[in-house]
Amino acid sequence: MKTTDSNNVQNERVTPPFRSPVTPDEGELSENELWLNMGPQHPSTHGVLRVVLKMEGEIIREARPDVGYLHRGVEKLAENRTYSQFNILTDRNDYLASMLNNWAYCLSVEKLLGVRAPERAEYLRVIVGELNRIASHLVFIGTFGIDIGAFTPFLYAFGREREMVLDLFERLCGARLTYNYIRIGGVMADLPDGWGDQARSFIPHMRRCLKEYDDLLTYNPIFLDRTKGIGAIPKDKAVSYGLSGPNLRASGVSTDLRKDEPYGIYDRFQFKPAVGTTGDTWDRYFVRRLEIEESLNIVEQALNSLPEGDILAKGQRPTVRPPVGESYAQIEGARGWLGIYLVSDGTERPYRLHVRGPSFINLTILQEMLKGWKIADVVAILGSLDVVLGEVDR
Amino acid sequence: MGIITEKLPHVCEHVPGGGVFLTSVDYFINWTRQSSVWPLTFGLACCAIEMMSAYAARFDFDRFGVIPRPTPRQADLLIISGTVTKKMAPVIVKLHQQMPLPRFVISMGACSNCGGPYYDSYSVVKGVDKILPVDIYIPGCPPRPEALMNAVLELHKKIGKMSLADRVNP
Ligand code: SF4
């Protein structure tokens, strides 16, 4: 059945028909209600999320998210990979912020080993981590604009500014998306010549562009109509659902691991976490837009105080054999608290690995949030949560 | 399109030197097909982000007539951009069947070629060619947007060799 001509083949069904637990049942409907299926192929679900909606006219009465369409089983695969080999799979969990994933994982392994990255490596981690956070939020601005119906921000944020960040990363480690730059005990390579200047010149450019986005999108009346007051999450509910990151801060809770439990060298930088007020869709957008500014400040400070020195801990080798034990390290990822839990049995492979993916936990509130809103608000609310399906399903 | 494919070979029998006539129709139809290869807006995993980069400002896929369509009924090309899991496989087959003929499939990235970094995972289909016929494979994890463009240019060449007369199963 293998052929390269796709037009003359009748496809066979290879997998038995699959009935998902959320598959709707006609019997549950009252008069005037209907089931509406959204996804897994839908341009606005940011990947392969499926949501089954019970509609009464235009109003949503019930929403049932169905995840798992991108379940790749990384936690199981970790048991067959050495510690260094697994680093490349962390890249692919949250593929919009690979550096931050590498970082969380390496911190956890370093905790097990009792190693600390050298000073210069810590600074490099902060620089690339914050730049990656900017790139990730730029994807959010671009795709959120498309969800609401504004195409131009996508071309600017995604196609212009984000590419500049990717250029920097490409010069640094050769990859555009999956970097594997932060390694156990340090980083992979030192900065190439002129990289610092290129990064410095990006900062004022990005600040200028944020003003441009404000004119284009942030205060655009149509955008405000579509997002202000829509899908608000009150403070207590945000906390009780375990939201984290920008989604939690938008509801007015000022928690940021970089401030509250500074890991690495975050206690040396001046910045203040962006906090929203009402927790509606616009706030969740605006918090991310403010965070870009804060990240730029951090990158600027880190570039200015970058010390000379080693980039890898002395004697650090690719094969590591941590002692028996367990460790948990968490960082402030682009989407919230990103934690990696590791259990070691003294061999060169982890005994058990668990990823606390912020996207997955942020998505749990969707069911509650969608109730009572109109069908057109679904993409706005879902887009504003900024989930990455690679991290939700893992 | 249906009228042309059904009627054309019949008409050509009656025209002296019909071969020449048929070739030029082929040329014309292939040219129109090549210039508007419309892919389905369908992203699976990390590779989808590089696919989006290709549509965005710097790489500007529109230059090749590639404009994403949100429904399979309007699409000619299915770009499998990412990991195909066992849960997703039936959905992909369905999407492929919903696309009108002629339809093409590009397998983008190591995952959809052979499973990639997840080659030993219990939930991943080891290559989309196990469930769909594939026209072009792009190596890379993820492939660069330029590689995707190259794949579409290769697809143009392939379309250029198509002929109405070979259609077995229209
Ligand atoms: S080939 Fe690599 S980049 Fe593409 S989907 Fe697979 S893991 Fe992600």
Side-chain angles (χ1 to χ4, degrees):
Chain A
M1 123 132 229
K2 241 188 194 176
T3 166
T4 50
D5 188 357
S6 55
N7 291 318
N8 293 331
V9 179
Q10 281 299 308
N11 290 304
E12 297 160 30
R13 185 154 206 158
V14 283
T15 333
F18 174 78
R19 195 176 159 85
S20 155
V22 307
T23 305
D25 194 350
E26 291 295 328
E28 294 170 44
L29 295 178
S30 67
E31 217 182 334
N32 305 332
E33 286 182 339
L34 67 99
W35 286 111
L36 188 73
N37 181 57
M38 182 174 169
Q41 186 268 329
H42 188 282
S44 293
T45 54
H46 295 254
V48 284
L49 175 67
R50 174 172 175 231
V51 190
V52 181
L53 304 163
K54 190 196 261 181
M55 309 290 305
E56 185 181 337
E58 259 196 282
I59 314 282
I60 296 161
R61 291 286 171 229
E62 194 188 327
R64 297 180 180 177
D66 182 8
V67 298
Y69 285 98
L70 194 55
H71 175 65
R72 310 192 266 201
V74 281
E75 291 179 7
K76 181 72 189 161
L77 290 184
E79 297 165 18
N80 293 323
R81 303 279 197 277
T82 65
Y83 284 93
S84 312
Q85 280 174 340
F86 186 71
N87 209 2
I88 67 138
L89 293 185
T90 62
D91 276 331
R92 287 147 180 85
N93 279 351
D94 173 359
Y95 34 79
L96 293 178
S98 305
M99 292 284 189
L100 296 164
N101 283 267
N102 288 168
W103 195 354
Y105 173 69
C106 291
L107 269 186
S108 194
V109 181
E110 282 163 12
K111 229 181 190 176
L112 264 182
L113 287 168
V115 195
R116 248 197 94 102
E119 184 96 343
R120 186 174 170 84
E122 289 282 13
Y123 273 88
L124 292 179
R125 284 179 178 188
V126 169
I127 294 171
V128 294
E130 292 304 323
L131 281 174
N132 209 175
R133 192 187 311 274
I134 294 171
S136 166
H137 287 345
L138 285 174
V139 175
F140 167 78
I141 292 180
T143 51
F144 189 52
I146 293 193
D147 289 346
I148 303 287
F151 195 74
T152 325
F154 174 75
L155 297 176
Y156 284 3
F158 196 102
R160 198 177 61 187
E161 276 75 63
R162 182 171 172 271
E163 290 290 341
M164 296 173 81
V165 181
L166 297 195
D167 280 348
L168 286 169
F169 287 155
E170 199 178 346
R171 274 191 73 194
L172 191 59
C173 58
R176 278 168 51 87
L177 202 64
T178 46
Y179 313 110
N180 194 15
Y181 175 69
I182 296 176
R183 298 277 170 90
I184 300 164
V187 295
M188 178 194 101
D190 212 335
L191 300 183
D193 285 345
W195 195 91
D197 296 333
Q198 197 180 339
R200 261 189 211 104
S201 67
F202 168 73
I203 295 168
H205 174 81
M206 190 64 235
R207 289 204 176 114
R208 251 196 327 276
C209 288
L210 282 174
K211 299 234 163 53
E212 211 171 314
Y213 300 163
D214 282 351
D215 295 343
L216 264 176
L217 193 65
T218 314
Y219 299 111
N220 181 325
I222 304 172
F223 182 72
L224 286 174
D225 280 353
R226 288 291 308 272
T227 54
K228 266 279 179 202
I230 305 286
I233 311 178
K235 224 182 215 182
D236 50 340
K237 200 170 264 175
V239 173
S240 66
Y241 269 86
L243 299 195
S244 54
N247 290 333
L248 178 63
R249 286 195 286 276
S251 297
V253 187
S254 173
T255 48
D256 189 324
L257 283 182
R258 294 174 290 177
K259 273 272 181 235
D260 304 341
E261 282 174 37
Y263 50 92
I265 48 162
Y266 270 111
D267 42 3
R268 301 185 197 172
F269 302 115
Q270 299 294 322
F271 67 100
K272 75 176 197 308
V275 182
T277 47
T278 56
D280 59 4
T281 305
W282 189 81
D283 267 356
R284 283 193 288 278
Y285 161 83
F286 196 60
V287 160
R288 290 190 173 87
R289 183 228 165 276
L290 290 176
E291 256 183 32
I292 295 182
E293 236 159 313
E294 294 304 325
S295 295
L296 286 173
N297 291 340
I298 299 176
V299 174
E300 197 168 34
Q301 293 169 40
L303 278 171
N304 289 340
S305 49
L306 182 64
E308 292 298 321
D310 286 339
I311 55 159
L312 203 60
K314 285 247 167 4
Q316 185 65 42
R317 295 183 45 235
T319 33
V320 293
R321 228 177 244 272
V324 181
E326 50 188 82
S327 73
Y328 180 72
Q330 58 179 1
I331 68 166
E332 182 73 32
R335 284 168 188 75
W337 297 355
L338 172 64
I340 303 268
Y341 174 65
L342 270 175
V343 181
S344 157
D345 56 357
T347 59
E348 69 269 20
R349 289 155 218 262
Y351 174 76
R352 176 79 171 92
L353 180 140
H354 176 71
V355 185
R356 186 217 187 264
S359 293
F360 178 63
I361 294 156
N362 291 345
L363 191 64
T364 51
I365 202 170
L366 185 74
Q367 216 161 346
E368 170 97 21
M369 265 167 91
L370 287 183
K371 262 182 221 158
W373 292 102
K374 296 233 167 92
I375 179 75
D377 299 324
V378 175
V379 286
I381 293 174
L382 181 56
S384 72
L385 286 178
D386 191 25
V387 292
V388 164
L389 266 293
E391 194 177 62
V392 172
D393 297 340
R394 298 191 289 271
Chain B
M1 208 49 171
I3 297 170
I4 296 176
T5 47
E6 278 163 37
K7 294 277 165 61
L8 203 59
H10 178 72
V11 173
C12 291
E13 274 173 29
H14 298 283
V15 178
V20 178
F21 180 60
L22 188 61
T23 324
S24 49
V25 168
D26 268 347
Y27 181 81
F28 176 72
I29 289 179
N30 288 343
W31 172 72
T32 51
R33 251 179 212 153
Q34 276 172 357
S35 336
S36 60
V37 180
W38 286 357
L40 180 65
T41 318
F42 177 50
L44 277 169
C46 349
C47 283
I49 305 297
E50 286 299 69
M51 184 176 74
M52 278 159 72
S53 300
Y55 296 139
R58 176 178 291 185
F59 296 98
D60 192 13
F61 226 165
D62 292 6
R63 285 179 292 162
F64 305 107
V66 177
I67 300 168
R69 307 301 303 174
T71 153
R73 315 268 179 205
Q74 300 170 350
D76 313 299
L77 171 64
L78 184 60
I79 303 177
I80 309 288
S81 54
T83 322
V84 182
T85 59
K86 289 188 180 154
K87 188 170 177 182
M88 196 65 196
V91 181
I92 294 178
V93 172
K94 198 179 210 171
L95 284 173
H96 184 249
Q97 284 168 344
Q98 283 176 340
M99 286 165 54
L101 289 162
R103 54 196 171 202
F104 307 97
V105 179
I106 289 182
S107 156
M108 178 182 186
C111 278
S112 57
N113 291 349
C114 62
Y118 303 97
Y119 67 97
D120 54 351
S121 167
Y122 56 85
S123 61
V124 170
V125 176
K126 313 298 176 315
V128 74
D129 53 9
K130 293 217 164 37
I131 55 169
L132 289 184
V134 175
D135 294 272
I136 313 259
Y137 297 84
I138 317 175
C141 181
R144 300 178 57 89
E146 290 95 328
L148 184 58
M149 289 178 179
N150 184 38
V152 170
L153 293 179
E154 290 296 321
L155 190 63
H156 284 182
K157 284 186 204 153
K158 185 165 177 173
I159 296 174
K161 292 197 200 106
M162 280 170 48
S163 167
L164 292 174
D166 328 322
R167 294 284 292 284
V168 189
N169 190 4

